[in-house]
Amino acid sequence: MKKWFDEATIYQVYPKSFKDTNNDGIGDLPGVIEKLDYLKDLGINTLWLNPVYISPQLDNGYDVSNYFAIDPSLGTMDDMQRLIHLAHQHQMKIVMDFVMNHTSDQHPWFKDAVNNPDSIYRDYYLWAKGRNGGKPNNWGSFFGGSVWEKDPGQTNEYYFHLFDKHMPDLNWKNPEVQNSMIDIAKFWVKKGIDGLRLDAFIHISKADFEQDYPSDGKNPYPLAESFYANRKDVQDYLNHFSSELKKINPDIFIMGEASSANVNLAVDYSDPERQLCDSVITFRNFADDRSQNNHDIPENFQPAPIDVPGFREKMAVWQSNLEGISYPTLYWSNHDMARLATRYGDFDEEEASCKALALAMYLQKGLPIIYYGEELGMRNMNLQDLADFDDLTVPEFDQKATKAGFSHEEVLNMLNKTHKISARNAMQWDESNKYFGFSDHEPWKYGPTAACSVEEEQQEPNSVLNFYKLIIKMKQEPLYIKGREIVLNTKDKQVFGYKRIFNDHAAIVLCNLNKQATKVTLDDNLNDYDIRLIQKTANLDGKHQVSLAGWSSIVLEKK
Ligand code: GLC
Ligand code: CA
């Protein structure tokens, strides 16, 4: 059965950084409302908002202390209702982030669980006794250190936190937790939202705590993925959650963040027969060329160009395995990774590289998710101080990199090119002030960045912004929504190409993701095709060959 979200082109708004209307340096919901016309004009039809619930903002809203209200720094419930209403008037759907794995330690449930060990809320969280005078086990937290923290109250127990220690994990084994989370979700569905992006849902089930993870001896608290990610019970909890929501609104779109899900799990999670998610966001689609990295320091903070053959292989596997099951999500960046221009773009040919990358991703089969500012080719900001990254693992990286001979500037530069916080910079609207019209006040997180703005790019016919508009529009055609995809196995190391086929229609998309020119040989007879679009410089050389200048791309459509 056809659903509205089969045709979704999603735009991710990080509300704190989008548009500030009261000049306190924090973007807000009235700011999103103010920019609905801009978003409509861009051509997208769905907005995903990062969390807007009341939160101490330790993890920028992913630490929720009240799920039934809007954080005062972002606006009011009235603003949220106005946004839902006006978005719908603009024919746009609203998807809210839904934080289900943990709450803030300031949430009344957790406070009560700590203050009163007999409280019914004690069992809303995960507790364990220490072992041999230490933590219950050696499992590591995603935010550094152990997953265990001492009960701040009277007992000798520890509570479990997969992320920050101020974000205790919920106990989904407890049916009351399941019911409470379903009630919260229903509250929002009844307010008229159209979908939920399930934050970190793959972690809601944990293994027995009485076991250590095999350690390599280097890290006392190793990441213990198999003990807290993608466990079998996740699917039972999620099925209960999703089917309850679909009962009150069968059209609700459930988009699950499954960062470490491989393709087989993605198939399980998004198989319509199972009623779990409608679509899955994985982080496993990317491939980086790490051949130039320094092996003495962790790779996560070392910039690395795209590994095109690796990317091709991954896309081929995802496309063929999900065919007929669900639409994959298509994205290059989000609030948890560096911006596209910074990560894979070529600073010498910035516009062309951003366009080639966009075309490579978004005309594929699947649901595009465009991270705010990506449509301008915005880069990461340059934070000036290690403390600005608010990350426990940064000092450790600094230490290792310094020891390996990197200067302070080099360390900062590597972090700014790879870190998620540098990607959460204020949206660049115009050049009216130092903050690109985002606010008159310094943004809540600020570092200098490369100039570019909506206003300027609207006036420039060949801008990255206008190119995004063009391909977002093409994406609405049946061929690019429904057409089967075949990733082309071209013999070179730099071209990403694919074919889309729908009834008698077909298209070939070729993108040169490198500054060197190249020639691509195809099986198809090019005389059967028309040129739909050339970005930069491309030529058809005879029946089977296309030559592409560096960072050029072409779309051919069957006559
Ligand atoms: C998800 C979010 C990330 C957040 C984490 C904890 O991975 O995308 O930003 O820190 O969950 O909620
Ligand atoms: Ca504000």
Side-chain angles (χ1 to χ4, degrees):
M1 205 176 39
K2 191 178 150 225
K3 295 280 190 193
W4 70 264
F5 42 79
D6 294 344
E7 299 183 4
T9 295
I10 305 164
Y11 187 88
Q12 182 187 350
V13 171
Y14 200 70
K16 286 181 94 162
S17 297
F18 198 56
K19 171 70 192 173
D20 175 21
T21 55
N22 62 347
N23 288 317
D24 60 357
I26 305 172
D28 40 52
L29 293 179
V32 183
I33 293 174
E34 191 183 303
K35 296 301 179 185
L36 283 174
D37 287 338
Y38 166 74
L39 296 168
K40 179 77 198 164
D41 184 55
L42 182 60
I44 57 98
N45 56 23
T46 306
L47 285 186
W48 154 29
L49 302 178
N50 287 96
V52 293
Y53 316 99
I54 295 195
S55 157
Q57 302 289 332
L58 257 159
D59 189 22
N60 295 299
Y62 284 98
D63 48 326
V64 181
S65 57
N66 179 355
Y67 287 89
F68 295 103
I70 301 295
D71 195 81
S73 67
L74 302 174
T76 62
M77 187 59 92
D78 248 24
D79 294 328
M80 187 62 198
Q81 297 213 270
R82 223 155 30 95
L83 173 59
I84 296 170
H85 176 72
L86 292 171
H88 289 165
Q89 276 196 345
H90 283 75
Q91 286 86 43
M92 273 180 225
K93 307 280 188 187
I94 296 276
V95 173
M96 271 180 110
D97 225 305
F98 192 72
V99 190
M100 63 199 300
N101 176 67
H102 44 264
T103 69
S104 159
D105 62 356
Q106 299 306 305
H107 193 289
W109 296 339
F110 190 72
K111 284 191 173 172
D112 201 51
V114 167
N115 291 335
N116 173 11
D118 295 327
S119 154
I120 57 158
Y121 294 114
R122 185 77 179 180
D123 197 36
Y124 268 48
Y125 296 90
L126 300 164
W127 306 90
K129 294 201 168 49
R131 236 180 31 192
N132 312 325
K135 315 254 182 196
N137 60 38
N138 73 343
W139 306 358
S141 149
F142 287 137
F143 284 9
S146 162
V147 296
W148 296 105
E149 186 69 19
K150 230 6 188 324
D151 180 355
Q154 302 301 311
T155 80
N156 281 324
E157 292 187 322
Y158 292 79
Y159 68 87
F160 187 105
H161 64 89
L162 196 46
F163 297 90
D164 191 90
K165 68 175 181 207
H166 297 290
M167 292 152 70
D169 282 42
L170 286 163
N171 175 18
W172 273 76
K173 248 189 212 162
N174 180 349
E176 287 309 318
V177 167
Q178 300 186 23
N179 292 335
S180 299
M181 296 318 275
I182 291 169
D183 284 346
I184 295 166
K186 282 187 177 167
F187 169 85
W188 289 103
V189 171
K190 287 180 187 154
K191 291 224 174 279
I193 61 159
D194 307 283
L196 295 172
R197 176 251 188 205
L198 304 183
D199 181 62
F201 82 86
I202 57 174
H203 303 298
I204 59 179
S205 165
K206 279 90 177 166
D208 196 328
F209 295 143
E210 286 168 21
Q211 52 193 330
D212 276 340
Y213 192 80
S215 167
D216 60 4
K218 285 194 209 135
N219 185 352
Y221 300 113
L223 289 183
E225 287 260 359
S226 51
F227 289 158
Y228 47 57
N230 300 305
R231 300 187 61 81
K232 184 73 193 60
D233 285 346
V234 168
Q235 301 193 21
D236 296 335
Y237 303 153
L238 198 60
N239 169 263
H240 178 43
F241 178 86
S242 297
S243 27
E244 286 300 312
L245 293 188
K246 299 261 179 185
K247 271 187 208 160
I248 63 165
N249 181 354
D251 280 339
I252 205 81
F253 173 41
I254 305 214
M255 174 165 81
E257 184 213 21
S259 48
S260 60
N262 60 26
V263 71
N264 297 329
L265 276 164
V267 167
D268 286 353
Y269 288 143
S270 64
D271 181 348
E273 309 243 300
R274 291 178 190 242
Q275 280 247 351
L276 305 171
C277 300
D278 296 303
S279 182
V280 160
I281 304 175
T282 177
F283 283 39
R284 293 272 169 98
N285 272 346
F286 303 111
D288 295 331
D289 171 5
R290 300 217 166 264
S291 57
Q292 302 303 312
N293 278 185
N294 180 313
H295 297 297
D296 298 329
I297 55 174
E299 61 180 33
N300 60 329
F301 293 138
Q302 292 190 69
I306 186 169
D307 161 20
V308 178
F311 178 64
R312 198 187 285 155
E313 210 177 295
K314 292 191 176 185
M315 280 295 165
V317 170
W318 279 79
Q319 287 291 346
S320 60
N321 281 270
L322 285 180
E323 176 67 34
I325 305 276
S326 68
Y327 283 100
T329 51
L330 306 170
Y331 72 100
W332 279 123
S333 19
N334 64 34
H335 64 293
D336 287 330
M337 59 185 69
R339 286 183 171 279
L340 174 60
T342 303
R343 180 149 160 248
Y344 290 149
D346 179 341
F347 284 3
D348 296 332
E349 290 206 54
E350 200 150 17
E351 281 193 20
S353 58
C354 287
K355 292 176 190 173
L357 287 158
L359 192 58
M361 186 61 85
Y362 298 126
L363 287 190
Q364 292 190 85
K365 185 164 194 175
L367 312 177
I369 309 178
I370 296 163
Y371 186 51
Y372 77 100
E374 182 193 314
E375 76 278 23
L376 307 175
M378 253 172 74
R379 291 190 198 171
N380 275 12
M381 61 182 150
N382 290 303
L383 296 170
Q384 311 287 300
D385 198 325
L386 293 182
D388 288 341
F389 293 96
D390 303 320
D391 182 344
L392 287 176
T393 68
V394 159
E396 203 182 302
F397 176 76
D398 177 44
Q399 229 176 22
K400 287 184 183 151
T402 309
K403 206 168 140 202
F406 289 91
S407 70
H408 178 64
E409 275 62 44
E410 285 167 333
V411 173
L412 262 181
N413 187 36
M414 281 192 278
L415 285 164
N416 276 316
K417 283 196 163 151
T418 52
H419 203 280
K420 61 184 182 184
I421 300 286
S422 300
R424 300 179 184 178
N425 40 342
M427 176 72 176
Q428 298 178 196
W429 295 104
D430 56 46
E431 314 231 340
S432 61
N433 65 18
K434 184 175 164 195
Y435 309 124
F436 295 98
F438 162 75
S439 175
D440 294 336
H441 190 288
E442 180 168 308
W444 63 278
K445 194 55 97 182
Y446 176 73
T449 185
C452 72
S453 74
V454 169
E455 191 180 61
E456 172 207 331
E457 294 198 24
Q458 278 172 335
Q459 285 154 18
E460 165 57 54
N462 290 323
S463 62
V464 176
L465 176 60
N466 281 317
F467 188 75
Y468 266 76
K469 274 196 204 174
L470 179 79
I471 60 173
I472 291 171
K473 199 156 174 217
M474 283 171 75
K475 179 72 192 177
Q476 293 304 314
E477 298 169 16
L479 170 62
Y480 297 108
I481 293 176
K482 297 187 209 155
R484 197 155 53 85
E485 171 167 339
I486 298 170
V487 174
L488 297 174
N489 190 13
T490 57
K491 302 275 170 291
D492 53 82
K493 282 203 163 119
Q494 62 194 72
V495 172
F496 182 70
Y498 51 96
K499 212 169 155 178
R500 300 295 308 270
I501 305 161
F502 181 60
N503 298 337
D504 297 338
H505 301 280
I508 295 174
V509 180
L510 299 172
C511 306
N512 184 0
L513 304 182
N514 191 284
K515 53 161 64 73
Q516 308 294 331
T518 188
K519 287 183 196 302
V520 187
T521 309
L522 297 165
D523 293 338
D524 296 80
N525 183 344
L526 296 176
N527 291 336
D528 298 340
Y529 285 82
D530 284 328
I531 294 172
R532 169 83 185 260
L533 178 161
I534 288 182
Q535 171 8 63
K536 229 186 125 184
T537 315
N539 286 303
L540 306 190
D541 309 334
K543 275 200 235 164
H544 294 285
Q545 204 179 60
V546 180
S547 55
L548 293 161
W551 291 113
S552 290
S553 36
I554 188 167
V555 180
L556 301 161
E557 286 181 358
K558 203 159 201 171
K559 284 184 181 146

